[in-house]
Amino acid sequence: MTDAVSDRQPRAGLPVSTHGLVHIYHAEGHDVAALSGVDLEVRAGEFIGLLGPSGAGKSTLLSLLGGLFRPSAGKIRVGPHELSTISPKELDDLRSREVALMLQGATRNLLPYYSARQNVAFAQTVARRGGKDLPAPTEVLEQVGLADAEVDRPLSTLTPGHLQLAAIAATVATRPGVLLADEPTSQLDHDARDQVLERIGWINRTYGTTVILVTHDPEVAAALPRTVTIRDGRVGGEGRSGEEYSVVTADGFLPLPSQVRDELPPGTLVRFHRDPEDDHYTLLPEDDRR
Amino acid sequence: MWDTIRYRRLQALTIAVLAALVTTCVVVAPLYDRATQQALTRIELEHATVAVRGLSVSAGAENAEEAPPDPGDVAASVPRALRARFEPPIRQQTAQPDATAAPTGMTPLVGELLSRDAVCRHVRMVQGSCPTGARQIAVSTFDAKLLGLVPGTAVVVSGATESGGVAHHVTMHVVGVYRQVRGAYWFGQSLTGRSGLQTGDSSSGLLHDDWVTAAATYTDPRVPVLPLTVNRADLGLQPHTMGVDELLASGSAISRLVRRYRSDPGFSAAAFRLYSGLPGIAANMRHQREQSQVTIPLLTVQLGVLAVVVLWLVLGAATEQRRPEVAVAVLRGRGRSGARSLLLRELLPVALAGVPLGIVAALVLTWLARTRLLPGSAPFEIRLPVVLAVAASVVVLCVVVVLVVLGATRRSVEQLLRRVPARRSGWSVGVTEALLLAAGGTAVVAFVTGGLDGPIALAAPALLALVVGMLLAHATTPVATALGRRLLRRGRVAASVSVLDAARTPATRRTIAIVTVATSLLVFASAAVLVGGRNRSLAAEQEAGASLTADVYGDDLRGVQAAVRQVDPTQRRLTTVVSVTPAASGAQQTIAVDPAAFERVGLFAGRSSPPDLSGLTPRAAVPLTLTGDAVSVTVATDDLASRAAVERADGRPATAPVSLALDLLTDDNEPVSIDLGALGLGTSSRAASALVPCSRTCHLVGVSLGTNPGATVSGTVSLSGLTSTTGGGDPTTVAVGPAGRWRRLDERSKGSMTPVSTTPTSLSIVAETKGSDTTTMTQQWLPTSLPALVTRGRGSTVAGLDGQDRAAHAVGRIARIPQAGPYAALVDLDLAARGSTVDPTDQIQVWFAHDDPALLTRLSRALAQREIRLSSHTSLAEVRRTYDQSTAAWSLALGVVVGVAALLLGLLVVVVMAVTTWRTRSRDLAALRLAGLGRRTVRSVATRAQVPALVLAVLAGTLCGAEGARLTLPTVPLFAHAPDVSTLDLRLPWWAIATVAVAALVLLIAVGWAAGAAIARRADLQRVRETL
């Protein structure tokens, strides 16, 4: 494995933002709101993690960012592109050059009959055809940490960790501006998990690629500079350098941290008190007559 | 591309094989069709005589004084293009001059004088030499023997009578005696067989065989123009250079030429004539070609439809398996078009790789057919229709692949990425399926109601099965789900999981649909082959009449019967049959048989047991026989009176003489009347005697009273003491009584003769005649009316053995009489022969219970001892072969291949569904093991999963195939030409159908079981985690 960067000009990442993002799944007989107004700003080159319980809407948000489907309402902007109104052709073009989505499960990102090297080459085909200057597949694979011996072997003979590295390589083969990764460390042992996380971080640092990563793993989340917690289809909080924050939404809502919600059940009346001296806000339940 | 093929090599092989099958179905049709046509052409031409398959053109003179066109010019009148298909013409000149030969004095001789190219190489000279110069002739050995024409004899030949009534003569010389060497050269002409016969007009003299002469005779200036000169050119066909196209073209060209000879004055004046059987053969060829163009597509189109549907489903399963790969392509920015090209690059070459395989398979099948099935060594040909068929198969394959790929890549990425595709929980039908159902259903309904024919009608059985299969497949999910849940509630875990597993997987629905169609096609093809074979057998049995029949020359019925008795005393293996066919078209035919033996030997097509023929032979009447050369009898009268028709001159009534005669039938069935002299009127008694031709045996069949026309006779006449003697030896008493042995005559026009007898040796007859000159009372043994089984009509008369109508009465009806035409009567030969001789036009036959050449040889010898010859013999196998050697039969034979291919397709589908779903299913089974089910139970779940679906599909397919056969078989040509007597039996062979269906079910279950077991073996716990 080497951290040597190609002499090609590294590309800067793309900013990603959502405003009032709503997505409703139409199931048999009833509708399910997966996202209920997500506002999110991700700066170019930022590395953030999406956290939240199962069913909170993380993967839906990631899929919307990847253009897998259109939102029911709201706006999604990736760099200069507005995904909610983008044409299929532009979307294909965006996927071939700018936005890379890494699905959960390494093999879902790979063509099973190709080797790792062939998969990377396959991923680069359209971008190369469009004139994009890309590193050789072996170079990409080397950068993600796959040894030469592994790159031409059938995928079925690779370990889960190596498969995940191959999947990363195929995903970032086009040097995208945004890398969207859905639980890239699930089903991996600690060493493999750390290796995968380290390589994604390296890509982020080296190429400035904006990385949005969905994870359930608290250890992974702790290692990320910024985390966004999705809860009940909204942004429920943010973590920055290990510190947990609640985020005021565009319509003025303030989701409570989970430990607070246990103490303040739904229906509790609260009021905010601002201490002008130390510039603090105090949350006072109705029966607290301090 | 190779990576993808290597990764799923079994799947690729399956797709290629299916594509090959589609190609084979499309390509084999024109190849096989062509091969059958060529085989038929070869057979027809080989079986035709030289004259029938050749071309004979002749021309006469425009008037008596002119010579007809030169034989070379006659040949040249045939267009060059047509002539090129024949051997060089054999030129011939014939004339029919009157001749007078010295040895026979003034007796004129009439016959043909013939010159023919290279004739000397085709006659063997037994005396003298072959004529080489003008006015030299060679005569036949018969002429030499019968007419005394030997080498050196001078013959004066007269020329044609000129306009002035003058005829010139020329003398010719016999230089040799020939014997004709039979062969193709002669175009069926026989030079002999007429020598010494009287001409029709007795004044013309004797006929002679053809006299052979040299061509120079006809050009010699000393030879006048001979009467009735006809110049001719015979063009022999080269059968092995003529295929079906050349035959059809030649047939048309010859027909055109015939019309031209008729209409063009240049030809009609010289009476150009053309004879060839080729137009008829070509017409038959066209007819049979039209038939094959019904049956071959009927079978191959259905198999092709099945193969295309299977290919469609297999490709559907293959693209379903590739959903994640399509999603990857889309996510990598390739879009739908990129995803399409990804799939097309993998699937299209694989499918197209099947095309050469299919072509090779079609060629091999056709080669097998040409060398093993079809006679006549049909040539190997690849013609435009084959090329078009290959192109069509390529188009079909491309369309199927493209449509399937388009369907697969039309989904959104979200749909592509779902781990488990959306399942239909209840009854729902996709657009494609709905279209198929609608189209198939409409076609089937239209066909059933008679509103559809043509190519779509040919696919009716397959469409019916397709509709039923798809409906069943869609009904499976809700029904199986409900059943599985019920089983689960009852605690039958393994069974319920099997059923639920089957309900949730699309493979089950596909298997049901395809196996239904495959079984239907298998059953339909089997039924078509078996019904066709059975009908050909029935028609052959009806036409042959027996396993072997031998025709006998002549009319010696007794001799034939004696020979038959000598060879087969019990008549269990042989029986004599006489066929009387009146000359009038459509007249009733009579088949006279020995009923008991005929029941054993005759083949009664379509009957499980022979009909009861006992009604043809009434209660046995004892014959009255006498043997000797003279008879004597005492004749007495009692109150016998007669009254003449004309009164005497004095006005008193006049009497008329009354005589008595005995009516005998000789051993040769010749009727003889023995006059016993005049009877005394009043009361008298006298002895009478007469010579009789009964040295062997005679039957006394009647007693006749004779008188003058118009006279009446009344009274009693008695016969007693009838004896016969041979050579003056001891008399033998002939018992003429009692009265019951005689048949009372009571007819309004003739009067009555009533037998009255008190003793066996005497017979008294009370007569009361009414003006007939002869009134006969017959013996009971001689039938007055023949009992007959008739095919139709009242049967009041039948043609007797002597060709005359005889009174008959129908004792029943019979659908068909073996070997007889549609309008026929079956009578007892013994009865029919009593009092009747066999007419020379009757055909005496000997029928054999078995095709036994040794017995035929023995019969031939026995007949030869009686100077009787067999003219020909025909076996059932030979007749059957003529039915089998038709495009109708060969086309149906393709059903065997189609049936086997359909079954293989069904098996293939079971395998393919296992191959394409094994990962998912083994993971599901592994999950069941995780849930606590034991290995054995999981195996049981896996192996049983397909059984209910297969049973259901085979059952439905069997019913669809049978119904399809019932609907379609009436439109399938079973014969080249419908037999005169229809033995058509389109009943379905249910036992065979059931056997085929059970065999198919066993095979399908075995394969499904094996596939399930293989999947269960892979269902280890690690499989749960597997994602690749």
Side-chain angles (χ1 to χ4, degrees):
Chain A
M1 183 170 68
T2 174
D3 282 2
V5 180
S6 165
D7 55 1
R8 293 175 182 84
Q9 182 67 37
R11 287 187 57 89
L14 296 173
V16 176
S17 65
T18 68
H19 298 285
L21 193 61
V22 175
H23 191 71
I24 297 170
Y25 285 112
H26 301 285
E28 287 179 2
H30 60 282
D31 294 341
V32 177
L35 298 177
S36 314
V38 173
D39 297 313
L40 182 65
E41 292 284 347
V42 182
R43 292 185 303 280
E46 199 175 2
F47 189 163
I48 76 162
L50 293 179
L51 310 180
S54 293
K58 308 181 297 293
S59 295
T60 302
L61 177 58
L62 202 71
S63 298
L64 286 167
L65 295 177
L68 296 193
F69 34 79
R70 293 179 188 276
S72 304
K75 295 195 180 303
I76 309 170
R77 181 165 285 277
V78 176
H81 307 288
E82 172 51 55
L83 295 193
S84 55
T85 57
I86 197 170
S87 71
K89 175 75 183 69
E90 289 170 324
L91 189 59
D92 289 339
D93 195 46
L94 191 67
R95 283 186 183 130
S96 70
R97 305 166 72 96
E98 303 292 354
V99 178
L101 175 63
M102 184 173 163
L103 302 167
Q104 185 179 3
T107 54
R108 297 176 73 199
N109 299 280
L110 300 166
L111 297 177
Y113 41 81
Y114 281 162
S115 66
R117 188 166 59 82
Q118 288 172 313
N119 266 286
V120 172
F122 175 80
Q124 292 178 327
T125 310
V126 178
R128 278 190 195 282
R129 209 179 290 144
K132 191 169 182 178
D133 188 20
L134 295 173
T138 46
E139 189 182 332
V140 177
L141 288 161
E142 190 183 359
Q143 287 170 357
V144 300
L146 266 186
D148 281 351
E150 313 288 343
V151 298
D152 285 319
R153 284 172 51 187
L155 293 184
S156 56
T157 63
L158 299 184
T159 64
H162 285 162
L163 272 177
Q164 195 65 296
L165 292 175
I168 293 170
T171 308
V172 301
T174 56
R175 293 285 179 261
V178 179
L179 169 61
L180 307 168
D182 192 0
E183 305 219 29
T185 57
S186 65
Q187 298 183 6
L188 298 180
D189 58 32
H190 283 198
D191 290 343
R193 180 196 66 186
D194 293 345
Q195 188 184 9
V196 166
L197 204 57
E198 189 276 326
R199 284 292 93 192
I200 293 175
W202 182 86
I203 291 165
N204 169 252
R205 289 191 304 278
T206 308
Y207 297 110
T209 306
T210 305
V211 177
I212 301 175
L213 177 152
V214 170
T215 183
H216 270 112
D217 190 339
E219 291 183 35
V220 172
L224 300 180
R226 179 188 172 196
T227 61
V228 174
T229 302
I230 305 295
R231 191 181 300 134
D232 297 333
R234 294 168 182 268
V235 175
E238 273 203 33
R240 302 233 173 156
S241 305
E243 196 71 36
E244 191 71 16
Y245 296 92
S246 286
V247 181
V248 180
T249 65
D251 48 5
F253 289 102
L254 179 66
L256 298 176
S258 56
Q259 68 274 17
V260 178
R261 285 205 296 181
D262 294 340
E263 293 177 18
L264 301 174
T268 307
L269 295 177
V270 297
R271 61 188 172 86
F272 286 89
H273 173 75
R274 183 169 185 273
D275 187 345
E277 290 183 4
D278 54 5
D279 202 24
H280 278 185
Y281 285 91
T282 306
L283 186 66
L284 298 172
E286 185 192 22
D287 54 352
D288 191 347
R289 302 294 181 187
R290 286 177 291 178
Chain B
M1 185 181 82
W2 293 112
D3 297 303
T4 59
I5 292 172
R6 265 200 303 273
Y7 183 68
R8 297 187 180 101
R9 55 176 75 89
L10 191 56
Q11 202 176 81
L13 182 65
T14 305
I15 293 170
V17 166
L18 279 170
L21 193 56
V22 172
T23 306
T24 303
C25 289
V26 178
V27 175
V28 82
L31 278 173
Y32 185 71
D33 187 32
R34 180 72 177 178
T36 60
Q37 290 170 25
Q38 292 286 33
L40 188 67
T41 302
R42 293 282 170 91
I43 286 179
E44 291 279 325
L45 292 178
E46 282 173 12
H47 289 182
T49 62
V50 176
V52 168
R53 69 185 183 220
L55 190 63
S56 290
V57 192
S58 62
E62 290 188 30
N63 57 59
E65 295 167 18
E66 286 185 26
D70 182 77
D73 296 337
V74 172
S77 70
V78 177
R80 185 186 301 274
L82 180 60
R83 219 163 53 218
R85 293 183 180 134
F86 295 85
E87 290 167 347
I90 302 170
R91 293 165 301 176
Q92 174 178 300
Q93 289 176 285
T94 56
Q96 291 185 23
D98 287 344
T100 309
T104 52
M106 295 302 289
T107 304
L109 298 173
V110 179
E112 289 205 333
L113 180 67
L114 174 145
S115 86
R116 192 171 168 89
D117 285 348
V119 69
C120 292
R121 289 208 294 272
H122 299 279
V123 291
R124 190 164 65 82
M125 302 310 297
V126 296
Q127 200 178 350
S129 60
C130 191
T132 52
R135 294 176 289 111
Q136 293 180 348
I137 60 172
V139 300
S140 73
T141 52
F142 303 102
D143 281 356
K145 181 180 175 184
L146 299 174
L147 304 179
L149 300 174
V150 295
T153 307
V155 180
V156 178
V157 172
S158 58
T161 306
E162 296 173 4
S163 55
V166 180
H168 296 284
H169 300 277
V170 64
T171 300
M172 298 191 182
H173 298 278
V174 177
V175 295
V177 178
Y178 73 86
R179 183 169 285 151
Q180 184 181 7
V181 179
R182 305 277 178 183
Y185 165 84
W186 287 106
F187 260 59
Q189 293 182 99
S190 177
L191 305 187
T192 58
R194 297 172 288 279
S195 182
L197 295 178
Q198 289 281 345
T199 59
D201 177 1
S202 59
S203 62
S204 299
L206 296 175
L207 294 175
H208 64 77
D209 288 338
D210 287 5
W211 291 344
V212 173
T213 186
T217 299
Y218 283 93
T219 54
D220 186 352
R222 286 166 292 181
V223 177
V225 173
L226 296 173
L228 300 174
T229 300
V230 174
N231 288 349
R232 164 174 159 174
D234 291 336
L235 291 88
L237 181 74
Q238 302 166 19
H240 288 286
T241 61
M242 185 168 271
V244 59
D245 295 331
E246 294 80 9
L247 171 64
L248 296 177
S250 298
S252 302
I254 290 169
S255 298
R256 279 197 302 275
L257 190 57
V258 169
R259 286 196 295 273
R260 190 176 165 212
Y261 283 165
R262 280 201 208 110
S263 59
D264 188 334
F267 291 112
S268 59
F272 268 76
R273 296 275 184 277
L274 185 149
Y275 174 76
S276 174
L278 286 180
I281 296 174
N284 177 41
M285 193 64 242
R286 271 193 200 91
H287 170 68
Q288 296 213 37
R289 189 168 68 167
E290 285 167 9
Q291 288 185 327
S292 71
Q293 285 168 353
V294 172
T295 311
I296 292 176
L298 170 67
L299 293 166
T300 53
V301 162
Q302 293 190 75
L303 185 61
V305 168
L306 176 62
V308 167
V309 172
V310 172
L311 180 65
W312 180 290
L313 291 184
V314 169
L315 285 171
T319 53
E320 180 71 23
Q321 205 179 24
R322 287 159 177 75
R323 274 189 309 114
E325 296 155 36
V326 175
V328 167
V330 174
L331 287 178
R332 298 289 172 259
R334 297 192 165 219
R336 283 182 182 169
S337 60
R340 275 199 291 273
S341 73
L342 179 77
L343 288 180
L344 286 174
R345 274 211 308 273
E346 178 187 355
L347 297 177
L348 203 52
V350 171
L352 292 179
V355 173
L357 286 178
I359 295 171
V360 170
L363 291 175
V364 168
L365 277 175
T366 314
W367 175 78
L368 283 173
R370 285 191 296 113
T371 55
R372 300 279 186 272
L373 174 68
L374 301 175
S377 305
F380 171 75
E381 291 172 291
I382 293 184
R383 299 168 64 251
L384 183 62
V386 177
V387 177
L388 292 177
V390 171
S393 73
V394 169
V395 170
V396 166
L397 291 174
C398 289
V399 167
V400 170
V401 171
V402 168
L403 286 179
V404 169
V405 167
L406 280 177
T409 53
R410 201 177 292 129
R411 301 171 191 170
S412 66
V413 187
E414 179 198 6
Q415 289 172 317
L416 291 170
L417 284 173
R418 292 181 69 134
R419 284 184 187 275
V420 180
R423 298 285 183 232
R424 296 161 185 153
S425 55
W427 179 277
S428 62
V429 180
V431 174
T432 311
E433 290 163 315
L435 284 174
L436 271 176
L437 274 172
T442 306
V444 169
V445 169
F447 183 77
V448 170
T449 54
L452 187 69
D453 52 15
I456 298 190
L458 302 182
L463 289 175
L464 174 66
L466 193 60
V467 170
V468 172
M470 288 171 68
L471 290 174
L472 266 182
H474 279 278
T476 300
T477 303
V479 172
T481 304
L483 179 65
R485 285 175 182 159
R486 176 175 287 188
L487 288 170
L488 199 58
R489 280 197 296 275
R490 291 181 181 177
R492 297 177 62 182
V493 177
S496 69
V497 173
S498 283
V499 173
L500 288 171
D501 183 36
R504 65 184 283 272
T505 169
T508 305
R509 291 200 294 273
R510 289 169 183 154
T511 304
I512 286 177
I514 296 300
V515 171
T516 300
V517 180
T519 312
S520 163
L521 197 47
L522 171 67
V523 166
F524 170 76
S526 307
V529 170
L530 292 171
V531 168
R534 184 179 64 209
N535 276 281
R536 290 197 302 278
S537 285
L538 290 175
E541 285 178 5
Q542 171 61 28
E543 186 176 322
S547 297
L548 179 67
T549 59
D551 287 2
V552 178
Y553 274 125
D555 55 5
D556 187 358
L557 176 61
R558 295 291 166 87
V560 174
Q561 286 177 318
V564 166
R565 278 194 297 275
Q566 177 188 332
V567 175
D568 179 25
T570 61
Q571 299 219 32
R572 294 198 160 276
R573 295 182 293 167
L574 298 178
T575 187
T576 308
V577 174
V578 178
S579 172
V580 183
T581 306
S585 173
Q588 187 182 44
Q589 191 179 2
T590 301
I591 306 294
V593 301
D594 172 355
F598 193 68
E599 282 180 16
R600 290 190 292 270
V601 174
L603 295 173
F604 296 89
R607 296 183 65 114
S608 55
S609 60
D612 179 14
L613 304 182
S614 59
L616 296 179
T617 311
R619 190 169 52 84
V622 179
L624 256 170
T625 57
L626 57 90
T627 305
D629 48 24
V631 291
S632 59
V633 63
T634 300
V635 180
T637 58
D638 183 15
D639 201 17
L640 183 69
S642 69
R643 184 175 180 139
V646 182
E647 292 181 345
R648 293 197 321 189
D650 57 7
R652 288 163 56 191
T655 60
V658 179
S659 63
L660 182 69
L662 297 179
D663 295 329
L664 303 178
L665 275 181
T666 68
D667 189 48
D668 296 327
N669 247 343
E670 290 289 340
V672 178
S673 182
I674 303 300
D675 187 7
L676 294 179
L679 296 175
L681 297 177
T683 301
S684 66
S685 175
R686 68 171 178 87
S689 60
L691 296 176
V692 292
C694 301
S695 54
R696 288 189 283 187
T697 300
C698 284
H699 286 99
L700 174 56
V701 295
V703 176
S704 297
L705 287 177
T707 186
N708 292 342
T712 59
V713 177
S714 63
T716 302
V717 179
S718 299
L719 296 169
S720 60
L722 177 65
T723 59
S724 63
T725 56
T726 303
D730 294 335
T732 304
T733 301
V734 179
V736 292
R741 300 178 75 175
W742 295 87
R743 184 181 295 113
R744 179 172 181 267
L745 171 74
D746 187 6
E747 289 183 17
R748 182 176 297 177
S749 60
K750 290 188 172 181
S752 66
M753 286 179 75
T754 307
V756 180
S757 176
T758 53
T759 66
T761 55
S762 69
L763 173 68
S764 296
I765 304 163
V766 177
E768 192 74 45
T769 71
K770 291 184 176 176
S772 174
D773 60 345
T774 305
T775 310
T776 304
M777 182 182 77
T778 56
Q779 212 258 330
Q780 289 282 11
W781 177 79
L782 188 69
T784 52
S785 171
L786 283 178
L789 279 171
V790 294
T791 55
R792 58 187 162 94
R794 291 170 52 209
S796 55
T797 58
V798 296
L801 299 187
D802 54 4
Q804 303 299 313
D805 281 352
R806 287 190 64 169
H809 59 280
V811 294
R813 290 204 175 270
I814 186 168
R816 293 174 289 272
I817 297 171
Q819 208 188 63
Y823 184 28
L826 190 67
V827 299
D828 184 305
L829 175 60
D830 180 43
L831 281 184
R834 291 176 192 175
S836 178
T837 54
V838 175
D839 190 81
T841 60
D842 293 351
Q843 180 60 61
I844 302 177
Q845 295 179 313
V846 180
W847 289 20
F848 291 64
H850 306 287
D851 187 356
D852 186 345
L855 195 62
L856 179 65
T857 305
R858 285 172 55 199
L859 174 71
S860 182
R861 286 194 192 123
L863 289 169
Q865 289 168 7
R866 294 164 176 81
E867 297 185 336
I868 301 171
R869 281 192 303 128
L870 290 175
S871 60
S872 63
H873 58 85
T874 309
S875 71
L876 173 64
E878 288 166 354
V879 178
R880 173 64 195 261
R881 197 152 44 241
T882 61
Y883 279 100
D884 287 346
Q885 291 185 343
S886 64
T887 55
W890 294 328
S891 304
L892 278 177
L894 201 58
V896 176
V897 178
V898 170
V900 172
L903 180 59
L904 287 177
L905 272 175
L907 294 170
L908 191 64
V909 164
V910 175
V911 172
V912 165
M913 290 306 147
V915 167
T916 54
T917 61
W918 76 268
R919 284 183 189 277
T920 318
R921 291 193 61 209
S922 60
R923 207 160 44 221
D924 292 348
L925 293 172
L928 287 178
R929 287 195 62 201
L930 271 182
L933 292 186
R935 181 182 286 273
R936 184 171 291 179
T937 309
V938 167
R939 179 186 159 86
S940 173
V941 167
T943 51
R944 287 183 193 175
Q946 294 289 314
V947 173
L950 291 175
V951 171
L952 187 66
V954 168
L955 186 62
T958 303
L959 294 176
C960 288
E963 183 61 12
R966 194 185 67 75
L967 288 172
T968 320
L969 278 179
T971 66
V972 175
L974 301 177
F975 306 103
H977 303 282
D980 290 340
V981 178
S982 174
T983 51
L984 199 63
D985 178 5
L986 296 179
R987 282 175 303 157
L988 297 180
W990 283 109
W991 276 109
I993 286 175
T995 307
V996 165
V998 168
L1001 181 61
V1002 168
L1003 272 174
L1004 287 162
I1005 286 180
V1007 171
W1009 194 278
I1015 290 172
R1017 272 199 302 278
R1018 288 164 173 75
D1020 51 55
L1021 296 178
Q1022 295 300 316
R1023 187 69 64 182
V1024 179
R1025 289 177 55 84
E1026 186 189 57
T1027 53
L1028 261 183

